[in-house]
Amino acid sequence: MTRPIPANLLDRTRAALNRAIGVYRGTADEPQLVAIRDRLDEPLRVAIAGRAKAGKSTLLNALVGERLAPTDTGECTRVVTWYADGHTYRVTAHVADQPPVQLRFSRDDGAIEIDLAGRAPEEIDHLTVIWPSQALRTTTLVDTPGIGSLTDRVSRRSWDLLAADGAEEEAMPTDAVLYLMRHVHASDMEFLKAFRDSEVSRPNPINAIGVLSRADEIGVGRIDSMASAQRIASHLTMDPRMRRMVQTVVPVAGLLAETAATLTEAEMERLRRIAKLAPRDVEALLLSADRFRESTPELGLTRIERDVLLARFGLFGLRLAAAIVRQRVVRTAGELARELSARSGLVELRAVLGSLFFERRDVLKSRSALLAIDALTRTRPAPGSEATAAEVEEILAGAHPFSELRVLTSVRAGWVTGKPAVIDDLERLIGGQGVAPHVRVGLEPDASPQELTSAVHAALERWQIRCESPMTSREMAIAGRIAVRSCEGMLASLTGGGRGE
């Protein structure tokens, strides 16, 4: 009897996992496979990686919307830490070959302080922080130690988590990564090369986003710093070396983003005092951190209050916030928070995360699960595992979302070449800028069904002609046929005949 083929990619992956669990029933690998199957229904796992002092914990706090991760150089910053949603507050240490241990923690007004109970950070594989949070309901965030840290063992933790290979790569623990860069360093490129791979069943540029962190420092804290950072990020995005590593590069002023997410009315009142000064006086006051700390008593802020403002906003944030308040663009702390969040680049980053990660959630999660099965059947074959491996290979080769990933990777690697306008059109159609139909055909989000259908028909005809032209290279023709199928899938979905894949 022929078993029915599940309708969509996630269901096919789940079916493959169920059969793998049957093959490895009663072995030490069964629990891992069950956990991977359960993971299909869990939030997307996104790691935040980068060199030491790149602002990883600060960005994590901004994404969560509250100060959870410690941003200093304490013990816990040397341990991989998972932040996940839950119904209670709990911190657990995971140590190799030992049962998980629940740890004590405290939190007053800032980050969580975790008591490692006398354990050295090097002894702990990772920490799990369960924290009720709306932001964490859709995304589990993983804070990693800095690449290139002073201690090699600390730096190695991030490599082991995100760039494993060979027999150790039983499963990539995360589905995607945000890689933070203050500027492009040799170790950044080395890490990203290790993280990406040309095969769809391994990490590739589609699940990596570069973040030009601490972007305000690029313009030395000037109010127009983010404009300078945006130009640099755009240049990096188009750099052929970087395009092979990450999907795009987004500038973010992490400290400002974190502060915007946690802004208080008391801070708003202190900013009003600064904004009441004449613009020339504000400029002189914020010329340097020392000048602000030593400001005259007329400002009405104590030395401690000024130090806290500097720590929370930095000079760029203070200059920008004071200008916004002085211009009466906002009136409340909530309004200022929204304005600062938009100016920090966090809103753009959330939009990129949505279009490139969350809309492709099922593809990324399926990739992670299929990678696990593939590695297991290769490294520890068992009776019946050959059939399971063949099923995984069939899914990877036949599922259209994976074909799109292969083409996107080939384009980014320079294997598929053509005129810039043609390459841009190809990337967009296969989901390189997001998988929503209006994004694929370059329309606005409020485009009507008729406009969408017309644009998809035009794209389909355009690429059918290109694929049949004798002037089209073999590589472009192969890629074009994937674009044609993407257009056909969109048309089927728009007309009610989609298959769910």
Side-chain angles (χ1 to χ4, degrees):
M1 179 178 176
T2 303
R3 60 173 182 263
I5 299 176
N8 60 44
L9 179 58
L10 204 63
D11 287 343
R12 293 181 70 187
T13 302
R14 197 188 314 276
L17 274 165
N18 284 333
R19 280 184 275 279
I21 290 170
V23 169
Y24 287 91
R25 184 83 65 194
T27 71
D29 295 305
E30 181 186 359
Q32 181 197 8
L33 290 169
V34 171
I36 293 170
R37 181 186 60 188
D38 295 342
R39 179 175 156 186
L40 294 179
D41 298 314
E42 295 175 358
L44 196 70
R45 296 178 175 185
V46 179
I48 302 178
R51 288 174 56 80
K53 296 292 185 181
K56 299 181 296 296
S57 300
T58 300
L59 181 62
L60 185 147
N61 291 338
L63 290 170
V64 175
E66 57 180 309
R67 298 172 68 190
L68 292 181
T71 56
D72 56 16
T73 55
E75 286 186 325
C76 290
T77 61
R78 297 158 57 191
V79 182
V80 173
T81 305
W82 297 64
Y83 292 86
D85 179 48
H87 299 297
T88 186
Y89 301 89
R90 187 171 69 253
V91 177
T92 305
H94 301 265
V95 182
D97 302 322
Q98 295 182 27
V101 178
Q102 194 163 328
L103 300 178
R104 294 182 179 181
F105 67 93
S106 61
R107 188 189 186 210
D108 294 324
D109 188 37
I112 300 171
E113 294 185 11
I114 302 172
D115 181 1
L116 298 182
R119 297 178 180 84
E122 292 76 15
E123 298 176 23
I124 300 173
D125 179 70
H126 68 277
L127 297 172
T128 300
V129 176
I130 303 298
W131 204 266
S133 167
Q134 185 172 357
L136 293 174
R137 289 174 191 168
T138 56
T139 319
T140 294
L141 295 173
V142 186
D143 196 8
T144 64
I147 305 296
S149 297
L150 292 177
T151 308
D152 181 65
R153 290 183 66 182
V154 172
S155 179
R156 196 73 223 170
R157 290 183 182 277
S158 296
W159 282 88
D160 291 343
L161 177 72
L162 298 170
D165 60 9
E168 296 296 321
E169 190 178 54
E170 295 178 359
M172 292 300 296
T174 60
D175 302 301
V177 67
L178 292 176
Y179 191 83
L180 275 59
M181 303 171 286
R182 295 176 68 174
H183 52 80
V184 181
H185 189 277
S187 63
D188 295 321
M189 299 302 288
E190 184 183 358
F191 177 84
L192 288 169
K193 284 179 182 177
F195 181 72
R196 75 133 176 100
D197 191 272
S198 59
E199 295 297 327
V200 71
S201 62
R202 299 273 300 278
N204 58 65
I206 196 63
N207 62 336
I209 293 174
V211 178
L212 194 60
S213 61
R214 304 178 73 155
D216 52 298
E217 295 179 2
I218 290 174
V220 200
R222 297 191 310 268
I223 288 183
D224 64 350
S225 293
M226 290 303 294
S228 300
Q230 182 62 64
R231 288 192 292 271
I232 293 173
S234 297
H235 176 74
L236 287 172
T237 298
M238 299 309 296
D239 186 304
R241 296 173 303 165
M242 189 60 65
R243 281 168 57 83
R244 298 174 189 177
M245 311 298 173
V246 299
Q247 182 78 323
T248 188
V249 180
V250 182
V252 177
L255 179 61
L256 185 63
E258 180 191 54
T259 299
T262 57
L263 187 68
T264 67
E265 286 291 348
E267 289 170 331
M268 179 69 175
E269 179 56 36
R270 291 163 190 160
L271 291 170
R272 288 193 184 101
R273 296 186 187 185
I274 299 173
K276 286 179 181 178
L277 300 176
R280 181 181 301 175
D281 293 336
V282 173
E283 184 178 350
L285 178 68
L286 298 175
L287 188 62
S288 69
D290 288 340
R291 179 74 65 89
F292 181 68
R293 289 192 182 96
E294 297 167 3
S295 59
T296 59
E298 286 76 13
L299 187 59
L301 298 176
T302 67
R303 175 64 180 264
I304 293 177
E305 288 173 332
R306 281 173 272 157
D307 284 342
V308 171
L309 283 176
L310 274 174
R312 290 274 284 150
F313 288 83
L315 284 174
F316 168 72
L318 287 174
R319 289 167 182 158
L320 179 60
I324 293 172
V325 174
R326 184 173 59 249
Q327 295 166 7
R328 299 184 182 278
V329 175
V330 300
R331 295 182 180 276
T332 67
E335 291 175 350
L336 178 60
R338 286 189 289 273
E339 187 71 20
L340 293 179
S341 183
R343 305 276 189 108
S344 72
L346 184 64
V347 172
E348 181 187 356
L349 178 60
R350 288 188 187 279
V352 170
L353 284 169
S355 63
L356 298 184
F357 282 177
F358 301 133
E359 290 179 9
R360 209 185 281 267
R361 172 184 179 274
D362 290 355
V363 179
L364 295 177
K365 294 178 79 65
S366 294
R367 179 202 61 81
S368 297
L370 293 170
L371 168 64
I373 303 173
D374 177 67
L376 180 60
T377 55
R378 283 188 291 103
T379 58
R380 286 192 292 280
S385 63
E386 287 187 7
T388 302
E391 181 180 5
V392 169
E393 184 178 354
E394 180 184 353
I395 296 173
L396 292 174
H400 183 64
F402 288 139
S403 297
E404 289 185 329
L405 293 192
R406 275 190 289 272
V407 172
L408 182 59
T409 301
S410 297
V411 170
R412 291 299 178 89
W415 300 332
V416 177
T417 59
K419 295 180 179 179
V422 174
I423 291 295
D424 289 345
D425 188 30
L426 174 62
E427 279 198 33
R428 190 172 57 249
L429 278 175
I430 61 175
Q433 298 176 16
V435 298
H438 73 273
V439 175
R440 289 178 183 255
V441 293
L443 295 180
E444 295 298 319
D446 57 354
S448 67
Q450 293 78 14
E451 290 173 319
L452 280 172
T453 302
S454 176
V456 175
H457 269 299
L460 175 61
E461 182 178 355
R462 183 167 66 246
W463 279 94
Q464 284 176 330
I465 292 173
R466 181 167 287 121
C467 289
E468 295 169 2
S469 171
M471 302 299 292
T472 301
S473 68
R474 177 178 178 274
E475 292 78 12
M476 179 62 79
I478 293 173
R481 284 193 280 274
I482 301 301
V484 166
R485 187 176 172 191
S486 296
C487 291
E488 292 171 343
M490 283 189 283
L491 284 175
S493 176
L494 290 168
T495 57
R499 294 184 307 158
E501 189 176 299

